[in-house]
Amino acid sequence: MRGPSDGVRGKCRYYYKGKQELLVAILDEGLDAYFDACDKALESAGDDPAERLEAIVAATVRFRTGHPVKSSIVLTEGRSLEAEHLERYRKNEERASQQFREIIDEGVEEGVFLTPYPDDARRAVIAMCNAIAQ
């Protein structure tokens, strides 16, 4: 299978042995772009949990709206991964969830967020952000 074009008369730089390898490459590219956007947003947000939550939500929404196809693939196609790739994908899912969890837990601890259900709040915020791509 051919990979991304190098822009020179249709020549390709990458070849994929099969659909699984291509899917892994697409997922890796999408996840790298997502985490890069979140990391940059969090770096500029400061220490206030409310500002950090706003920053990661804004970065997630910008990513979902700016890259709807990548977002959709990242959100839905993990189920198509073979076992050897699924574990790494699940770790990336957990990393994304953990970013939100840490911010919300810190905000609850500091009294900035008043929810008695921080895990439910985290799931709801993530679900709303992810629904934008769907």
Side-chain angles (χ1 to χ4, degrees):
M1 294 186 127
R2 289 184 176 180
S5 173
D6 65 5
V8 181
R9 294 189 180 166
K11 292 183 182 180
C12 294
R13 290 185 279 172
Y14 306 104
Y15 291 90
Y16 299 101
K17 294 177 185 173
K19 291 179 186 178
Q20 186 69 193
E21 195 175 295
L22 179 59
L23 176 60
V24 168
I26 291 168
L27 288 170
D28 284 348
E29 180 184 337
L31 287 165
D32 287 348
Y34 172 71
F35 286 125
D36 185 54
C38 289
D39 291 345
K40 286 178 181 173
L42 289 172
E43 284 174 15
S44 64
D47 293 331
D48 179 61
E51 289 178 13
R52 293 179 61 75
L53 183 59
E54 180 181 349
I56 198 167
V57 166
T60 301
V61 169
R62 276 192 303 275
F63 180 77
R64 300 281 181 241
T65 58
H67 307 280
V69 174
K70 266 185 206 171
S71 288
S72 183
I73 291 170
V74 166
L75 290 171
T76 62
E77 294 306 318
R79 68 179 183 269
S80 302
L81 289 172
E82 294 171 359
E84 66 187 275
H85 304 291
L86 187 57
E87 183 179 341
R88 185 165 48 102
Y89 177 76
R90 294 287 181 233
K91 285 180 181 178
N92 279 319
E93 281 186 322
E94 179 54 32
R95 176 183 169 196
S97 186
Q98 186 63 27
Q99 287 180 313
F100 282 87
R101 181 180 292 112
E102 288 172 3
I103 294 167
I104 292 170
D105 286 351
E106 184 180 333
V108 168
E109 212 172 274
E110 292 181 15
V112 175
F113 304 139
L114 303 178
T115 179
Y117 309 105
D119 250 6
D120 292 339
R122 175 191 51 80
R123 282 192 293 274
V125 170
I126 292 171
M128 287 183 273
C129 290
N130 290 346
I132 289 169
Q134 298 168 336

